[in-house]
Amino acid sequence: MVLHLGPGEMVSLSGSTLPQPQLTESNTVTITLRTNSMRDTIDFRLLLEVISPEVSLTTVASLVTSDALTESTHLPGCDTASSQLLVPGMVKTITSPGYPRGYLDNLECVWMFQAVTDQEVVIRMDFQDFNIGNDMLSVETLGDGIANFQLTGSTLPPPILSTSNMLSVRFETDGADTAVGFKATVQIEPVVGTTTIATSPDGVTCVPSHTLLSTDNKTLTSPGYPIGYSSNMDCQWTLQSAMPNSLIAITFVTFDLGDDNLEIQFGGTVRHYTGSSLPMPIMTGADMAELRFTSDDGDNYPGFELVAWLYDVPVAATLPTTQEDITTGGPVLPTVPDLGCVSSSALLVPDMDPKTVSSPGYPTHNYAPNTKCSWSFIVVNDTKRINLRFVAFDVGDDKIEVKYGPTQTETFRGSNPPEDRTTSDNRLRITLDTDSAENHPGFEVVITVVDG
């Protein structure tokens, strides 16, 4: 295959490796396919996109050479999976295969997005429909700050904002029942500037509230948002779950407070947020959260917008909050509901920062009994490998199973951290399997993408 991208610009393609995205020099492209008598079948699929000429060619050239975009993301059974570039004003719609008629069993689909602009932006994902039963949709930011969301069920998720100019979406289905699927839009959203100071409107006041959360998400903003709040404000809001076995999660949409402060309390934890960096999402692990916003008598800023929503806790994880240390007779870390014990997967890219994985509750709580959690990882470049290093390890008679190759699986117990391991391919699975007896602090492991 030959791509004619402009005067004197040709790219020849052959073999089975997915080519990197290409950019034409003008508004015309010619595609020529030549075959010989040695092959019975030729199979390819490409996507043509219009990109504004205002975007500099050097910017696009530097982005499309990213390893995250050059490797194949068109996994078996997912005809809609792709790597896509986003420019300002462009809105992409993605759906699960077969939506809304339903999808197939045992799918593994990946969509990857990268913003192409000289401006500081994030990528926003908004859901219009969501019903995937017990299957899993993982949304992960690729960059300096990594936010990983595992979504399941039929509750419409709140908007998701990346922490960089790259975003990956991974859809995995099991061999059981399927559902309608999902529909979402993906687009670029500017980052709120760090020097933008809003004029404080007259008469802005606080209205305290106590909100019960159920199936609907709750949007909460600072007073006067987005025009700006007043000086010397002290505002308080309470969020409480009205659903059994459901806990509160908070996702920030925008955030710019300057030197003012947003305090969030939940389950004995107090967090303070200030400045203009968008905070990471919060999985509180509690059925109540209290928020308090205070401003000083100095400059005022646009404020914040956040969305509060509920996520389910497995019924089997409802446990006492304390237990007796049989060995010493003294108190030990409390066992908490199994907040993070949902089998999940994440996409890794070369040169990314090391990623940390830990057992539910670590390091402040012991994990729950009768728990089985799995964390799966895959590097988009199949020539890369994954190194894992345990920095903490105490699971007693429970077990950690590590699968780091097609036929390589090891099981670890006790309190001695295992030696470093490197996978034999680009995949890794870590499984925690606990019994009904004594619980322990758990583990923390650092995984890093390395050369094969």
Side-chain angles (χ1 to χ4, degrees):
M1 175 183 292
V2 178
L3 305 180
H4 301 266
L5 304 177
E9 182 70 19
M10 291 192 308
V11 176
S12 297
L13 305 174
S14 61
S16 59
T17 300
L18 188 71
Q20 67 179 18
Q22 302 292 333
L23 181 68
T24 66
E25 295 184 351
S26 66
N27 63 342
T28 302
V29 60
T30 301
I31 303 170
T32 304
L33 175 66
R34 296 188 179 94
T35 66
N36 57 33
S37 59
M38 303 300 293
R39 292 284 304 272
D40 294 330
T41 60
I42 300 293
D43 186 18
F44 73 91
R45 179 177 180 268
L46 58 84
L47 175 68
L48 299 177
E49 299 182 77
V50 177
I51 293 180
S52 171
E54 297 176 357
V55 179
S56 67
L57 295 179
T58 54
T59 299
V60 175
S62 66
L63 290 173
V64 299
T65 55
S66 166
D67 287 335
L69 295 177
T70 57
E71 299 304 321
S72 173
T73 56
H74 182 189
L75 302 178
C78 299
D79 293 335
T80 59
S82 63
S83 295
Q84 301 189 34
L85 302 178
L86 298 173
V87 298
M90 178 184 292
V91 179
K92 290 287 185 180
T93 299
I94 64 171
T95 64
S96 52
Y99 175 87
R101 299 182 304 276
Y103 48 81
L104 300 175
D105 293 331
N106 301 313
L107 292 178
E108 189 177 24
C109 315
V110 176
W111 297 263
M112 298 186 66
F113 300 92
Q114 183 163 2
V116 183
T117 176
D118 296 322
Q119 302 174 349
E120 187 179 3
V121 298
V122 295
I123 299 176
R124 176 173 178 143
M125 186 174 185
D126 293 277
F127 290 88
Q128 287 75 50
D129 195 8
F130 190 85
N131 185 356
I132 60 173
N134 293 322
D135 297 314
M136 177 71 68
L137 183 71
S138 300
V139 183
E140 182 168 0
T141 292
L142 306 175
D144 294 336
I146 298 179
N148 193 11
F149 301 83
Q150 282 84 42
L151 307 174
T152 189
S154 59
T155 300
L156 193 70
I160 293 177
L161 275 78
S162 69
T163 57
S164 73
N165 67 336
M166 298 181 67
L167 189 77
S168 77
V169 181
R170 185 183 191 87
F171 181 49
E172 294 180 288
T173 71
D174 55 26
D177 295 334
T178 60
V180 172
F182 69 88
K183 178 181 179 182
T185 56
V186 180
Q187 60 187 313
I188 291 175
E189 183 164 298
V191 174
V192 177
T194 58
T195 59
T196 302
I197 299 178
T199 301
S200 177
D202 295 332
V204 172
T205 59
C206 295
V207 180
S209 65
H210 189 127
T211 303
L212 293 177
L213 299 174
S214 55
T215 57
D216 294 328
N217 301 328
K218 169 67 175 178
T219 298
L220 193 64
T221 65
S222 53
Y225 175 86
I227 303 301
Y229 47 82
S230 298
S231 300
N232 301 311
M233 304 201 78
D234 190 345
C235 315
Q236 299 182 47
W237 305 272
T238 300
L239 302 171
Q240 184 174 359
S241 171
M243 306 289 288
N245 301 313
S246 293
L247 305 177
I248 297 173
I250 296 174
T251 300
F252 289 89
V253 180
T254 59
F255 192 89
D256 191 357
L257 298 184
D259 294 329
D260 298 316
N261 180 69
L262 175 64
E263 176 187 288
I264 303 180
Q265 297 187 39
F266 52 89
T269 297
V270 180
R271 294 185 183 179
H272 294 272
Y273 299 93
T274 188
S276 60
S277 297
L278 193 71
M280 296 290 284
I282 305 172
M283 311 295 280
T284 67
D287 60 3
M288 180 178 292
E290 295 179 315
L291 295 80
R292 182 178 184 181
F293 168 65
T294 55
S295 63
D296 57 25
D297 58 0
D299 293 328
N300 300 318
Y301 292 77
F304 65 85
E305 178 184 359
L306 60 83
V307 178
W309 49 291
L310 298 180
Y311 64 100
D312 293 336
V313 178
V315 175
T318 303
L319 303 165
T321 57
T322 59
Q323 65 177 6
E324 197 68 16
D325 186 335
I326 299 175
T327 304
T328 64
V332 297
L333 294 174
T335 300
V336 297
D338 183 8
L339 307 180
C341 199
V342 176
S343 294
S344 62
S345 63
L347 195 65
L348 307 178
V349 296
D351 301 323
M352 67 182 290
D353 291 336
K355 188 177 182 68
T356 300
V357 179
S358 59
S359 52
Y362 182 88
T364 59
H365 299 85
N366 288 357
Y367 51 75
N370 300 316
T371 292
K372 189 167 185 178
C373 317
S374 292
W375 298 265
S376 298
F377 304 93
I378 180 172
V379 187
V380 294
N381 186 332
D382 58 12
T383 66
K384 299 292 184 178
R385 301 293 180 260
I386 305 173
N387 176 264
L388 62 158
R389 176 173 58 89
F390 284 92
V391 296
F393 191 86
D394 185 359
V395 297
D397 292 330
D398 298 317
K399 66 179 181 179
I400 297 290
E401 182 181 275
V402 178
K403 182 176 183 180
Y404 53 94
T407 60
Q408 297 168 288
T409 302
E410 288 188 276
T411 299
F412 304 101
R413 290 183 169 87
S415 58
N416 294 322
E419 295 181 357
D420 294 0
R421 297 288 192 277
T422 299
T423 62
S424 60
D425 60 10
N426 63 330
R427 295 171 183 263
L428 170 69
R429 180 182 292 272
I430 302 172
T431 302
L432 169 66
D433 194 351
T434 74
D435 56 27
S436 59
E438 182 182 358
N439 306 118
H440 295 264
F443 72 91
E444 182 177 48
V445 62
V446 177
I447 62 174
T448 308
V449 177
V450 298
D451 294 331

